[in-house]
Amino acid sequence: MNAQTSEAISVFDMLKIGVGPSSSHTLGPWRAIQRWMAEELAGLSVQHVQIHLYGSLALTGRGHSTDIAICLALLGEDPVLIDVDSIAGRVSALRKDKTISLAGQTIAFDPAADIVFHGEESLPQHPNGMRCVASCTDSRSLQTDYFSVGGGFVLREGESHHEQGTVRLPYPAQNPSELLRHCTAAGKSIAQITRDNEQAWRTEDAINASLDAIWQVMLQAIHRGCHSSGELPGGLHVLRRAPGICRKLLGEAYDATEDQAVWLRTIKQQTPGLAEGLRWLSCFAMAVNEENANLGRVVTAPTNGAAGVIPAVLLYHVAFNTEARAEDVRNFLLVAGEIGTHFKKGATISAAMG
């Protein structure tokens, strides 16, 4: 493929800030509803909406909080900005009041009746399908199908990946071999090549700011996961394990109330051997996974289900490598994000499709 036609996927498409527990079943439907309201309902006088879920979204949607994501999107919340501690209260109030504000109008919306799970049906285009239906005051009925295709990516019916991702890149690569050829020819690292490509979308300062924001969300997820006890949602009475592991590893230095900066300094004072280092690595990953399961804020890497691995490895480097530099974090995220794009280009990051 040439620079004009390569499927161009940004690192920041792969590393998305969002809310758990699933990128395809939570973040994707959330983004689909936001697109629908912005692209299809703007300027219309709507009197009623219904959301129909099909395939995997219907079969596992309640367990993956698909209905909660839809409610929050209809309430005007954004997964990057929402106070995750407010989620339960916001959804509970909607279930009680049964109204939403849409385009300045208050309309009835009962999540129990207006989010419909079609467990025996699937839309042909993709197993993660949803149909958004709006009834207007002029008697028109509009419906739009969306598909959550993995990693928080959303496609409207008839839309392709190429329509969403065709830009001119200096180093287009549809597979890893092409990427490595660019590195060899230009005498640059994968991180440098990726950074050059990212400038097709944003400035150098914006790239750095976005990478730093992603790392902070990852770090916050680990910190929250290591300091939040109790059961995970879902009714299976699964207890969080990361806080206990962190407490055991730090011993008397563990403080359940300490802020993130103090906690990180305390960890950096440790000098773990191989076995204990692996326990720290597992603790970091489990902390993120448990935050993800608890509708916490995480970063798709490249999905919510895989969100723990990248931050765990990165924090291990930052915490226990005395030569670690701030720039290492940015380079690591650039390389990880670029590798993720090749999984998406060459296969699928949708578990349901796989």
Side-chain angles (χ1 to χ4, degrees), residues 63 232-237:
L232 295 171
L236 297 177
H237 307 294

PDB file of all heavy atoms in Angstrom, residues 63 232-237:
ATOM      1  N   GLY A  63     -23.723  -8.307  31.820  1.00  0.00           N
ATOM      2  CA  GLY A  63     -22.499  -8.578  32.569  1.00  0.00           C
ATOM      3  C   GLY A  63     -21.376  -7.623  32.241  1.00  0.00           C
ATOM      4  O   GLY A  63     -20.496  -7.386  33.066  1.00  0.00           O
ATOM      5  N   LEU A 232     -16.021  -7.195  43.832  1.00  0.00           N
ATOM      6  CA  LEU A 232     -16.246  -6.689  42.482  1.00  0.00           C
ATOM      7  C   LEU A 232     -17.709  -6.888  42.109  1.00  0.00           C
ATOM      8  O   LEU A 232     -18.369  -7.802  42.614  1.00  0.00           O
ATOM      9  CB  LEU A 232     -15.341  -7.421  41.481  1.00  0.00           C
ATOM     10  CG  LEU A 232     -13.843  -7.183  41.657  1.00  0.00           C
ATOM     11  CD1 LEU A 232     -13.052  -8.118  40.755  1.00  0.00           C
ATOM     12  CD2 LEU A 232     -13.490  -5.733  41.362  1.00  0.00           C
ATOM     13  N   PRO A 233     -18.264  -6.044  41.236  1.00  0.00           N
ATOM     14  CA  PRO A 233     -19.665  -6.199  40.846  1.00  0.00           C
ATOM     15  C   PRO A 233     -19.873  -7.471  40.034  1.00  0.00           C
ATOM     16  O   PRO A 233     -18.921  -8.049  39.504  1.00  0.00           O
ATOM     17  CB  PRO A 233     -19.932  -4.949  39.997  1.00  0.00           C
ATOM     18  CG  PRO A 233     -18.596  -4.533  39.493  1.00  0.00           C
ATOM     19  CD  PRO A 233     -17.622  -4.914  40.560  1.00  0.00           C
ATOM     20  N   GLY A 234     -21.131  -7.902  39.940  1.00  0.00           N
ATOM     21  CA  GLY A 234     -21.437  -9.072  39.137  1.00  0.00           C
ATOM     22  C   GLY A 234     -22.162 -10.172  39.876  1.00  0.00           C
ATOM     23  O   GLY A 234     -22.654 -11.111  39.267  1.00  0.00           O
ATOM     24  N   GLY A 235     -22.232 -10.069  41.194  1.00  0.00           N
ATOM     25  CA  GLY A 235     -22.999 -11.048  41.948  1.00  0.00           C
ATOM     26  C   GLY A 235     -22.281 -12.341  42.265  1.00  0.00           C
ATOM     27  O   GLY A 235     -22.882 -13.249  42.873  1.00  0.00           O
ATOM     28  N   LEU A 236     -21.019 -12.471  41.875  1.00  0.00           N
ATOM     29  CA  LEU A 236     -20.275 -13.709  42.148  1.00  0.00           C
ATOM     30  C   LEU A 236     -19.448 -13.622  43.428  1.00  0.00           C
ATOM     31  O   LEU A 236     -18.753 -14.567  43.781  1.00  0.00           O
ATOM     32  CB  LEU A 236     -19.352 -14.032  40.960  1.00  0.00           C
ATOM     33  CG  LEU A 236     -20.056 -14.310  39.628  1.00  0.00           C
ATOM     34  CD1 LEU A 236     -19.036 -14.552  38.520  1.00  0.00           C
ATOM     35  CD2 LEU A 236     -20.995 -15.499  39.750  1.00  0.00           C
ATOM     36  N   HIS A 237     -19.510 -12.477  44.103  1.00  0.00           N
ATOM     37  CA  HIS A 237     -18.815 -12.266  45.382  1.00  0.00           C
ATOM     38  C   HIS A 237     -17.299 -12.467  45.242  1.00  0.00           C
ATOM     39  O   HIS A 237     -16.651 -13.085  46.096  1.00  0.00           O
ATOM     40  CB  HIS A 237     -19.381 -13.187  46.465  1.00  0.00           C
ATOM     41  CG  HIS A 237     -20.862 -13.095  46.628  1.00  0.00           C
ATOM     42  ND1 HIS A 237     -21.492 -11.942  47.082  1.00  0.00           N
ATOM     43  CD2 HIS A 237     -21.851 -13.982  46.352  1.00  0.00           C
ATOM     44  CE1 HIS A 237     -22.806 -12.133  47.098  1.00  0.00           C
ATOM     45  NE2 HIS A 237     -23.050 -13.356  46.652  1.00  0.00           N
TER      46      HIS A 237
END
